[in-house]
Amino acid sequence: MTAMIRNPILRGFNPDPSICRVGDDYYIATSTFEWYPGVQIHHSRDLVNWRLVRRPLERASQLDMRGNPDSCGVWAPCLSYDDGLFWLVYTDVKRFDGNFKDAHNYIVTAEAIEATWSDPVYVNSSGFDPSLFHDDDGRKWFLNMQWNHRTESFGGSPKHPAFDGILLQEWDERTRKLVGPVKNIFAGSPLGLVEGPHLFKRNGWYYLTTAEGGTGYDHAVTMARSRTIDGPYEMHPSTYLITSKDHPEAPLQRAGHGQYVETPDGQAYHTHLAGRPLPPQRRCTLGRETALQKCVWRDDGWLYLESGGPVPEVLVPAPAAVEQLPEETVVETEFDEGVLPIEFQWLRTPQPERVFSLDARTGHLRLFGRESIGSWFEQALVARRQEHHSFRAETAVEFVPETYQQVAGLTHYYNRHKFHALGVTWHETLGRVLTILSCPGDFPHGRLEFPVGSGIAIPEGRIELAMEILDNDLQFFWRETRAEDWHAIGPVLDAGVVSDEGGRGEHGSFTGAFAGMFAFDTSGAGRAADFGCFRYVSLAADGCLCIRKIE
């Protein structure tokens, strides 16, 4: 029986996949936006089983996103290998709304994926989605989309004037600068919004793949080719190599933005991002995920999906017979290793010691209450990706607030406009209480709702908190430590709003839902909360929505 790759290969918030093969090893780099450390790199030796191994942008000299708006930060990295080095190109986007983007592009290198990566070399700021191509003559070429802040009467595509084509310029590694003329080599198809360029060379042709149509339901991978690197580029006979834009019934939607790779024996594959929307509102609570498609080269010298047509498949043939490893359906963390488990991240700051500690108390994650939940500068929120449409998360917190300005607990979080949080806090007449703070997609104001009003009084000591998400529904729970029964608190909340489409629509947010622990102290006292564990349980079987209740 043919071994199969099951898509998505990287579940939950893993967009813009850049793939690189070195010998028998495959690596995929994906965008992390405002989450720290920057850029996720997964590893595989068979294209079937993948493991998160590194986030290389881990110090202030490489990445400081304090003040970056939601869905800014690290966009669309490009990972490659040449001259005995891994090369990582990335953008740090500093502005979202308005005509401008302020997108700064950098290069870092390392001798091994899991090594310490270099300080960055600044390249340019003309647009985002940078890419580095190593030609077979030893020259290196830098690509990125060009951002046009002017009105549509000034060039650019008629449909989306800000996306002003793909720029190409030579990169001189000796001087570590761009040299020679800047050329706009590709304006894209009539679909518009051309971005995400990647080049590769085969049989004397330069092939260019780009992302088009925006990252929503019109997304696509567009392909073109030329005999010379600077064009002119002719379009693929089908224009789009991969897209679901005309097939709303396809299980993998929003398909686009990826990169070509070959196996050692010459089999062809192409990565792409995709979303799996939940009915009835068609919201992607898992964000944009990474998928992989088997491709074939036809006699006309063009690449096509092996399945025929442009629509991506959930199951595609693997390059060789291999067993898919069983999914880890329960992940328990006791915080006793002294380092944060790799599945967890925090937001924006390169100074994690100011927001959390694993040394302050053995076997606990201590969060230092800083700015409010949703702050763009310094907030104590440590979380992991939601990887299943249905899951349960549990934690245990010890927190002694002295004012209502001090809150700590468990959250289902997307950004400052989209989250639900169950927190321990203080009330003037009730004393220590458990309350819910909810912001169900209120853009741009971010106003809170309080589904249980002032909250419910709770006893002193350690409190256990839980939340259960079943597709679009969220229910919070709590209990005293070692108590037998969990108590539901508050109404069933709309978990579907904690999604790409919630609040602003499919083009307004680009990350994904997280489950995690938070603490804030808007009094400025820095009140700390200790979390003794975190448990994530999948409530879905084999990627399907087969729900079972966890008691």
PDB file of all heavy atoms in Angstrom, residues 20-22 25-27 41 78-89 107-115 117-118 132 134:
ATOM      1  N   CYS A  20      13.005  23.567   2.446  1.00  0.00           N
ATOM      2  CA  CYS A  20      14.407  23.438   2.050  1.00  0.00           C
ATOM      3  C   CYS A  20      14.848  22.004   2.314  1.00  0.00           C
ATOM      4  O   CYS A  20      14.590  21.462   3.389  1.00  0.00           O
ATOM      5  CB  CYS A  20      15.235  24.429   2.879  1.00  0.00           C
ATOM      6  SG  CYS A  20      17.029  24.209   2.782  1.00  0.00           S
ATOM      7  N   ARG A  21      15.494  21.376   1.316  1.00  0.00           N
ATOM      8  CA  ARG A  21      16.053  20.032   1.515  1.00  0.00           C
ATOM      9  C   ARG A  21      17.569  20.099   1.524  1.00  0.00           C
ATOM     10  O   ARG A  21      18.178  20.735   0.657  1.00  0.00           O
ATOM     11  CB  ARG A  21      15.597  19.077   0.413  1.00  0.00           C
ATOM     12  CG  ARG A  21      16.160  17.661   0.598  1.00  0.00           C
ATOM     13  CD  ARG A  21      15.685  16.701  -0.469  1.00  0.00           C
ATOM     14  NE  ARG A  21      16.164  17.039  -1.805  1.00  0.00           N
ATOM     15  CZ  ARG A  21      17.366  16.707  -2.289  1.00  0.00           C
ATOM     16  NH1 ARG A  21      18.246  16.060  -1.526  1.00  0.00           N
ATOM     17  NH2 ARG A  21      17.699  17.047  -3.510  1.00  0.00           N
ATOM     18  N   VAL A  22      18.175  19.422   2.511  1.00  0.00           N
ATOM     19  CA  VAL A  22      19.630  19.289   2.583  1.00  0.00           C
ATOM     20  C   VAL A  22      19.919  17.804   2.754  1.00  0.00           C
ATOM     21  O   VAL A  22      19.665  17.230   3.829  1.00  0.00           O
ATOM     22  CB  VAL A  22      20.218  20.096   3.749  1.00  0.00           C
ATOM     23  CG1 VAL A  22      21.732  19.959   3.772  1.00  0.00           C
ATOM     24  CG2 VAL A  22      19.822  21.560   3.641  1.00  0.00           C
ATOM     25  N   ASP A  25      17.356  15.421   4.601  1.00  0.00           N
ATOM     26  CA  ASP A  25      16.623  16.186   5.606  1.00  0.00           C
ATOM     27  C   ASP A  25      15.819  17.308   4.965  1.00  0.00           C
ATOM     28  O   ASP A  25      16.339  18.048   4.119  1.00  0.00           O
ATOM     29  CB  ASP A  25      17.584  16.791   6.634  1.00  0.00           C
ATOM     30  CG  ASP A  25      18.291  15.731   7.462  1.00  0.00           C
ATOM     31  OD1 ASP A  25      17.610  15.106   8.290  1.00  0.00           O
ATOM     32  OD2 ASP A  25      19.507  15.523   7.267  1.00  0.00           O
ATOM     33  N   TYR A  26      14.571  17.429   5.404  1.00  0.00           N
ATOM     34  CA  TYR A  26      13.695  18.503   4.940  1.00  0.00           C
ATOM     35  C   TYR A  26      13.391  19.445   6.106  1.00  0.00           C
ATOM     36  O   TYR A  26      13.198  19.007   7.246  1.00  0.00           O
ATOM     37  CB  TYR A  26      12.367  17.939   4.423  1.00  0.00           C
ATOM     38  CG  TYR A  26      12.493  16.974   3.273  1.00  0.00           C
ATOM     39  CD1 TYR A  26      12.646  15.607   3.508  1.00  0.00           C
ATOM     40  CD2 TYR A  26      12.457  17.415   1.946  1.00  0.00           C
ATOM     41  CE1 TYR A  26      12.757  14.710   2.462  1.00  0.00           C
ATOM     42  CE2 TYR A  26      12.564  16.522   0.893  1.00  0.00           C
ATOM     43  CZ  TYR A  26      12.717  15.177   1.152  1.00  0.00           C
ATOM     44  OH  TYR A  26      12.829  14.280   0.109  1.00  0.00           O
ATOM     45  N   TYR A  27      13.347  20.734   5.791  1.00  0.00           N
ATOM     46  CA  TYR A  27      13.017  21.744   6.794  1.00  0.00           C
ATOM     47  C   TYR A  27      11.951  22.680   6.226  1.00  0.00           C
ATOM     48  O   TYR A  27      12.010  23.046   5.040  1.00  0.00           O
ATOM     49  CB  TYR A  27      14.248  22.560   7.181  1.00  0.00           C
ATOM     50  CG  TYR A  27      15.367  21.724   7.762  1.00  0.00           C
ATOM     51  CD1 TYR A  27      16.395  21.244   6.951  1.00  0.00           C
ATOM     52  CD2 TYR A  27      15.396  21.416   9.117  1.00  0.00           C
ATOM     53  CE1 TYR A  27      17.423  20.474   7.472  1.00  0.00           C
ATOM     54  CE2 TYR A  27      16.422  20.639   9.651  1.00  0.00           C
ATOM     55  CZ  TYR A  27      17.435  20.176   8.823  1.00  0.00           C
ATOM     56  OH  TYR A  27      18.442  19.417   9.348  1.00  0.00           O
ATOM     57  N   ILE A  41      10.678  26.413  12.675  1.00  0.00           N
ATOM     58  CA  ILE A  41      11.316  25.500  11.725  1.00  0.00           C
ATOM     59  C   ILE A  41      11.015  24.069  12.152  1.00  0.00           C
ATOM     60  O   ILE A  41      11.352  23.647  13.261  1.00  0.00           O
ATOM     61  CB  ILE A  41      12.832  25.729  11.633  1.00  0.00           C
ATOM     62  CG1 ILE A  41      13.130  27.164  11.169  1.00  0.00           C
ATOM     63  CG2 ILE A  41      13.450  24.719  10.662  1.00  0.00           C
ATOM     64  CD1 ILE A  41      14.611  27.480  11.066  1.00  0.00           C
ATOM     65  N   CYS A  78      12.006  32.948   4.308  1.00  0.00           N
ATOM     66  CA  CYS A  78      12.512  32.050   3.261  1.00  0.00           C
ATOM     67  C   CYS A  78      13.749  31.357   3.797  1.00  0.00           C
ATOM     68  O   CYS A  78      14.705  32.015   4.220  1.00  0.00           O
ATOM     69  CB  CYS A  78      12.847  32.827   1.986  1.00  0.00           C
ATOM     70  SG  CYS A  78      13.651  31.819   0.712  1.00  0.00           S
ATOM     71  N   LEU A  79      13.722  30.033   3.804  1.00  0.00           N
ATOM     72  CA  LEU A  79      14.837  29.223   4.296  1.00  0.00           C
ATOM     73  C   LEU A  79      15.525  28.542   3.118  1.00  0.00           C
ATOM     74  O   LEU A  79      14.867  27.940   2.266  1.00  0.00           O
ATOM     75  CB  LEU A  79      14.315  28.172   5.280  1.00  0.00           C
ATOM     76  CG  LEU A  79      15.350  27.249   5.923  1.00  0.00           C
ATOM     77  CD1 LEU A  79      16.277  28.033   6.845  1.00  0.00           C
ATOM     78  CD2 LEU A  79      14.655  26.129   6.688  1.00  0.00           C
ATOM     79  N   SER A  80      16.860  28.633   3.060  1.00  0.00           N
ATOM     80  CA  SER A  80      17.618  27.994   1.982  1.00  0.00           C
ATOM     81  C   SER A  80      18.964  27.513   2.525  1.00  0.00           C
ATOM     82  O   SER A  80      19.340  27.812   3.662  1.00  0.00           O
ATOM     83  CB  SER A  80      17.832  28.972   0.819  1.00  0.00           C
ATOM     84  OG  SER A  80      18.539  30.136   1.256  1.00  0.00           O
ATOM     85  N   TYR A  81      19.686  26.765   1.684  1.00  0.00           N
ATOM     86  CA  TYR A  81      20.990  26.223   2.085  1.00  0.00           C
ATOM     87  C   TYR A  81      21.964  26.372   0.932  1.00  0.00           C
ATOM     88  O   TYR A  81      21.667  25.996  -0.210  1.00  0.00           O
ATOM     89  CB  TYR A  81      20.860  24.744   2.470  1.00  0.00           C
ATOM     90  CG  TYR A  81      22.151  24.139   2.991  1.00  0.00           C
ATOM     91  CD1 TYR A  81      22.527  24.315   4.321  1.00  0.00           C
ATOM     92  CD2 TYR A  81      22.982  23.409   2.151  1.00  0.00           C
ATOM     93  CE1 TYR A  81      23.704  23.756   4.816  1.00  0.00           C
ATOM     94  CE2 TYR A  81      24.165  22.855   2.631  1.00  0.00           C
ATOM     95  CZ  TYR A  81      24.528  23.035   3.957  1.00  0.00           C
ATOM     96  OH  TYR A  81      25.698  22.495   4.436  1.00  0.00           O
ATOM     97  N   ASP A  82      23.148  26.945   1.235  1.00  0.00           N
ATOM     98  CA  ASP A  82      24.168  27.119   0.203  1.00  0.00           C
ATOM     99  C   ASP A  82      25.483  27.483   0.890  1.00  0.00           C
ATOM    100  O   ASP A  82      25.486  28.091   1.971  1.00  0.00           O
ATOM    101  CB  ASP A  82      23.776  28.224  -0.784  1.00  0.00           C
ATOM    102  CG  ASP A  82      24.658  28.242  -2.025  1.00  0.00           C
ATOM    103  OD1 ASP A  82      24.693  27.221  -2.731  1.00  0.00           O
ATOM    104  OD2 ASP A  82      25.316  29.272  -2.275  1.00  0.00           O
ATOM    105  N   ASP A  83      26.596  27.111   0.275  1.00  0.00           N
ATOM    106  CA  ASP A  83      27.928  27.451   0.796  1.00  0.00           C
ATOM    107  C   ASP A  83      28.141  26.927   2.213  1.00  0.00           C
ATOM    108  O   ASP A  83      28.839  27.561   3.025  1.00  0.00           O
ATOM    109  CB  ASP A  83      28.158  28.976   0.779  1.00  0.00           C
ATOM    110  CG  ASP A  83      28.009  29.585  -0.607  1.00  0.00           C
ATOM    111  OD1 ASP A  83      28.311  28.876  -1.586  1.00  0.00           O
ATOM    112  OD2 ASP A  83      27.583  30.745  -0.690  1.00  0.00           O
ATOM    113  N   GLY A  84      27.524  25.781   2.546  1.00  0.00           N
ATOM    114  CA  GLY A  84      27.695  25.217   3.870  1.00  0.00           C
ATOM    115  C   GLY A  84      26.943  25.943   4.965  1.00  0.00           C
ATOM    116  O   GLY A  84      27.187  25.697   6.155  1.00  0.00           O
ATOM    117  N   LEU A  85      26.000  26.797   4.587  1.00  0.00           N
ATOM    118  CA  LEU A  85      25.232  27.582   5.560  1.00  0.00           C
ATOM    119  C   LEU A  85      23.745  27.486   5.278  1.00  0.00           C
ATOM    120  O   LEU A  85      23.322  27.376   4.115  1.00  0.00           O
ATOM    121  CB  LEU A  85      25.624  29.064   5.502  1.00  0.00           C
ATOM    122  CG  LEU A  85      26.998  29.484   6.013  1.00  0.00           C
ATOM    123  CD1 LEU A  85      27.222  30.957   5.713  1.00  0.00           C
ATOM    124  CD2 LEU A  85      27.134  29.206   7.504  1.00  0.00           C
ATOM    125  N   PHE A  86      22.956  27.541   6.341  1.00  0.00           N
ATOM    126  CA  PHE A  86      21.532  27.797   6.206  1.00  0.00           C
ATOM    127  C   PHE A  86      21.327  29.315   6.189  1.00  0.00           C
ATOM    128  O   PHE A  86      21.941  30.041   6.980  1.00  0.00           O
ATOM    129  CB  PHE A  86      20.751  27.187   7.374  1.00  0.00           C
ATOM    130  CG  PHE A  86      20.628  25.693   7.302  1.00  0.00           C
ATOM    131  CD1 PHE A  86      21.528  24.881   7.972  1.00  0.00           C
ATOM    132  CD2 PHE A  86      19.610  25.102   6.554  1.00  0.00           C
ATOM    133  CE1 PHE A  86      21.422  23.504   7.910  1.00  0.00           C
ATOM    134  CE2 PHE A  86      19.490  23.723   6.481  1.00  0.00           C
ATOM    135  CZ  PHE A  86      20.403  22.914   7.153  1.00  0.00           C
ATOM    136  N   TRP A  87      20.477  29.768   5.283  1.00  0.00           N
ATOM    137  CA  TRP A  87      20.164  31.184   5.132  1.00  0.00           C
ATOM    138  C   TRP A  87      18.679  31.380   5.441  1.00  0.00           C
ATOM    139  O   TRP A  87      17.825  30.662   4.921  1.00  0.00           O
ATOM    140  CB  TRP A  87      20.435  31.659   3.703  1.00  0.00           C
ATOM    141  CG  TRP A  87      21.848  31.456   3.234  1.00  0.00           C
ATOM    142  CD1 TRP A  87      22.449  30.269   2.935  1.00  0.00           C
ATOM    143  CD2 TRP A  87      22.825  32.471   3.016  1.00  0.00           C
ATOM    144  NE1 TRP A  87      23.746  30.476   2.530  1.00  0.00           N
ATOM    145  CE2 TRP A  87      23.997  31.823   2.568  1.00  0.00           C
ATOM    146  CE3 TRP A  87      22.821  33.863   3.131  1.00  0.00           C
ATOM    147  CZ2 TRP A  87      25.165  32.526   2.253  1.00  0.00           C
ATOM    148  CZ3 TRP A  87      23.975  34.563   2.809  1.00  0.00           C
ATOM    149  CH2 TRP A  87      25.132  33.899   2.395  1.00  0.00           C
ATOM    150  N   LEU A  88      18.386  32.334   6.291  1.00  0.00           N
ATOM    151  CA  LEU A  88      17.003  32.655   6.623  1.00  0.00           C
ATOM    152  C   LEU A  88      16.765  34.136   6.351  1.00  0.00           C
ATOM    153  O   LEU A  88      17.447  34.999   6.901  1.00  0.00           O
ATOM    154  CB  LEU A  88      16.712  32.340   8.090  1.00  0.00           C
ATOM    155  CG  LEU A  88      15.271  32.598   8.546  1.00  0.00           C
ATOM    156  CD1 LEU A  88      14.295  31.634   7.877  1.00  0.00           C
ATOM    157  CD2 LEU A  88      15.160  32.486  10.070  1.00  0.00           C
ATOM    158  N   VAL A  89      15.799  34.395   5.481  1.00  0.00           N
ATOM    159  CA  VAL A  89      15.428  35.765   5.138  1.00  0.00           C
ATOM    160  C   VAL A  89      14.048  36.019   5.735  1.00  0.00           C
ATOM    161  O   VAL A  89      13.153  35.172   5.631  1.00  0.00           O
ATOM    162  CB  VAL A  89      15.396  35.964   3.606  1.00  0.00           C
ATOM    163  CG1 VAL A  89      15.177  37.421   3.249  1.00  0.00           C
ATOM    164  CG2 VAL A  89      16.680  35.446   2.978  1.00  0.00           C
ATOM    165  N   ILE A 107      18.678  39.230   6.757  1.00  0.00           N
ATOM    166  CA  ILE A 107      19.233  37.896   6.522  1.00  0.00           C
ATOM    167  C   ILE A 107      20.009  37.464   7.761  1.00  0.00           C
ATOM    168  O   ILE A 107      20.808  38.235   8.300  1.00  0.00           O
ATOM    169  CB  ILE A 107      20.175  37.874   5.301  1.00  0.00           C
ATOM    170  CG1 ILE A 107      19.412  38.196   4.009  1.00  0.00           C
ATOM    171  CG2 ILE A 107      20.861  36.509   5.175  1.00  0.00           C
ATOM    172  CD1 ILE A 107      20.317  38.313   2.791  1.00  0.00           C
ATOM    173  N   VAL A 108      19.771  36.219   8.213  1.00  0.00           N
ATOM    174  CA  VAL A 108      20.604  35.591   9.239  1.00  0.00           C
ATOM    175  C   VAL A 108      21.078  34.246   8.699  1.00  0.00           C
ATOM    176  O   VAL A 108      20.457  33.660   7.807  1.00  0.00           O
ATOM    177  CB  VAL A 108      19.850  35.394  10.572  1.00  0.00           C
ATOM    178  CG1 VAL A 108      19.535  36.732  11.220  1.00  0.00           C
ATOM    179  CG2 VAL A 108      18.576  34.583  10.383  1.00  0.00           C
ATOM    180  N   THR A 109      22.178  33.740   9.253  1.00  0.00           N
ATOM    181  CA  THR A 109      22.743  32.471   8.790  1.00  0.00           C
ATOM    182  C   THR A 109      23.159  31.617   9.988  1.00  0.00           C
ATOM    183  O   THR A 109      23.359  32.112  11.094  1.00  0.00           O
ATOM    184  CB  THR A 109      23.980  32.692   7.892  1.00  0.00           C
ATOM    185  OG1 THR A 109      24.965  33.432   8.621  1.00  0.00           O
ATOM    186  CG2 THR A 109      23.600  33.437   6.625  1.00  0.00           C
ATOM    187  N   ALA A 110      23.311  30.310   9.721  1.00  0.00           N
ATOM    188  CA  ALA A 110      23.811  29.377  10.734  1.00  0.00           C
ATOM    189  C   ALA A 110      24.370  28.153  10.021  1.00  0.00           C
ATOM    190  O   ALA A 110      23.941  27.803   8.915  1.00  0.00           O
ATOM    191  CB  ALA A 110      22.708  28.962  11.695  1.00  0.00           C
ATOM    192  N   GLU A 111      25.324  27.480  10.663  1.00  0.00           N
ATOM    193  CA  GLU A 111      25.900  26.265  10.090  1.00  0.00           C
ATOM    194  C   GLU A 111      24.982  25.063  10.261  1.00  0.00           C
ATOM    195  O   GLU A 111      25.107  24.085   9.534  1.00  0.00           O
ATOM    196  CB  GLU A 111      27.264  25.985  10.720  1.00  0.00           C
ATOM    197  CG  GLU A 111      28.310  27.031  10.360  1.00  0.00           C
ATOM    198  CD  GLU A 111      29.674  26.711  10.939  1.00  0.00           C
ATOM    199  OE1 GLU A 111      29.779  25.717  11.706  1.00  0.00           O
ATOM    200  OE2 GLU A 111      30.629  27.443  10.631  1.00  0.00           O
ATOM    201  N   ALA A 112      24.081  25.125  11.237  1.00  0.00           N
ATOM    202  CA  ALA A 112      23.121  24.055  11.480  1.00  0.00           C
ATOM    203  C   ALA A 112      21.822  24.673  11.972  1.00  0.00           C
ATOM    204  O   ALA A 112      21.835  25.739  12.610  1.00  0.00           O
ATOM    205  CB  ALA A 112      23.656  23.052  12.497  1.00  0.00           C
ATOM    206  N   ILE A 113      20.709  24.024  11.686  1.00  0.00           N
ATOM    207  CA  ILE A 113      19.398  24.561  12.053  1.00  0.00           C
ATOM    208  C   ILE A 113      19.311  24.807  13.552  1.00  0.00           C
ATOM    209  O   ILE A 113      18.797  25.846  14.002  1.00  0.00           O
ATOM    210  CB  ILE A 113      18.286  23.592  11.612  1.00  0.00           C
ATOM    211  CG1 ILE A 113      18.123  23.635  10.083  1.00  0.00           C
ATOM    212  CG2 ILE A 113      16.951  23.933  12.292  1.00  0.00           C
ATOM    213  CD1 ILE A 113      17.549  24.914   9.524  1.00  0.00           C
ATOM    214  N   GLU A 114      19.820  23.876  14.355  1.00  0.00           N
ATOM    215  CA  GLU A 114      19.681  23.984  15.801  1.00  0.00           C
ATOM    216  C   GLU A 114      20.827  24.743  16.463  1.00  0.00           C
ATOM    217  O   GLU A 114      20.888  24.846  17.692  1.00  0.00           O
ATOM    218  CB  GLU A 114      19.515  22.589  16.412  1.00  0.00           C
ATOM    219  CG  GLU A 114      18.256  21.884  15.900  1.00  0.00           C
ATOM    220  CD  GLU A 114      17.965  20.586  16.613  1.00  0.00           C
ATOM    221  OE1 GLU A 114      17.948  20.587  17.860  1.00  0.00           O
ATOM    222  OE2 GLU A 114      17.765  19.566  15.926  1.00  0.00           O
ATOM    223  N   ALA A 115      21.712  25.339  15.644  1.00  0.00           N
ATOM    224  CA  ALA A 115      22.800  26.146  16.182  1.00  0.00           C
ATOM    225  C   ALA A 115      22.297  27.548  16.524  1.00  0.00           C
ATOM    226  O   ALA A 115      21.134  27.890  16.281  1.00  0.00           O
ATOM    227  CB  ALA A 115      23.938  26.221  15.166  1.00  0.00           C
ATOM    228  N   TRP A 117      21.994  31.258  15.644  1.00  0.00           N
ATOM    229  CA  TRP A 117      22.000  31.976  14.372  1.00  0.00           C
ATOM    230  C   TRP A 117      22.665  33.342  14.530  1.00  0.00           C
ATOM    231  O   TRP A 117      22.696  33.923  15.603  1.00  0.00           O
ATOM    232  CB  TRP A 117      20.579  32.106  13.834  1.00  0.00           C
ATOM    233  CG  TRP A 117      20.021  30.808  13.336  1.00  0.00           C
ATOM    234  CD1 TRP A 117      19.748  29.693  14.069  1.00  0.00           C
ATOM    235  CD2 TRP A 117      19.708  30.466  11.984  1.00  0.00           C
ATOM    236  NE1 TRP A 117      19.265  28.682  13.271  1.00  0.00           N
ATOM    237  CE2 TRP A 117      19.226  29.132  11.973  1.00  0.00           C
ATOM    238  CE3 TRP A 117      19.766  31.156  10.778  1.00  0.00           C
ATOM    239  CZ2 TRP A 117      18.822  28.478  10.812  1.00  0.00           C
ATOM    240  CZ3 TRP A 117      19.356  30.514   9.613  1.00  0.00           C
ATOM    241  CH2 TRP A 117      18.899  29.192   9.630  1.00  0.00           C
ATOM    242  N   SER A 118      23.178  33.840  13.412  1.00  0.00           N
ATOM    243  CA  SER A 118      23.934  35.086  13.408  1.00  0.00           C
ATOM    244  C   SER A 118      23.067  36.293  13.725  1.00  0.00           C
ATOM    245  O   SER A 118      21.833  36.225  13.689  1.00  0.00           O
ATOM    246  CB  SER A 118      24.577  35.296  12.039  1.00  0.00           C
ATOM    247  OG  SER A 118      23.570  35.584  11.067  1.00  0.00           O
ATOM    248  N   LEU A 132      15.567  34.534  -1.024  1.00  0.00           N
ATOM    249  CA  LEU A 132      16.949  34.516  -1.504  1.00  0.00           C
ATOM    250  C   LEU A 132      17.141  33.298  -2.388  1.00  0.00           C
ATOM    251  O   LEU A 132      16.861  32.174  -1.981  1.00  0.00           O
ATOM    252  CB  LEU A 132      17.916  34.472  -0.323  1.00  0.00           C
ATOM    253  CG  LEU A 132      19.404  34.640  -0.655  1.00  0.00           C
ATOM    254  CD1 LEU A 132      19.686  36.028  -1.220  1.00  0.00           C
ATOM    255  CD2 LEU A 132      20.252  34.390   0.596  1.00  0.00           C
ATOM    256  N   HIS A 134      19.867  31.106  -4.756  1.00  0.00           N
ATOM    257  CA  HIS A 134      21.281  30.817  -4.998  1.00  0.00           C
ATOM    258  C   HIS A 134      21.401  30.204  -6.387  1.00  0.00           C
ATOM    259  O   HIS A 134      21.024  29.042  -6.600  1.00  0.00           O
ATOM    260  CB  HIS A 134      21.813  29.850  -3.938  1.00  0.00           C
ATOM    261  CG  HIS A 134      21.489  30.258  -2.527  1.00  0.00           C
ATOM    262  ND1 HIS A 134      22.280  31.109  -1.793  1.00  0.00           N
ATOM    263  CD2 HIS A 134      20.434  29.932  -1.723  1.00  0.00           C
ATOM    264  CE1 HIS A 134      21.747  31.282  -0.586  1.00  0.00           C
ATOM    265  NE2 HIS A 134      20.626  30.577  -0.524  1.00  0.00           N
TER     266      HIS A 134
END
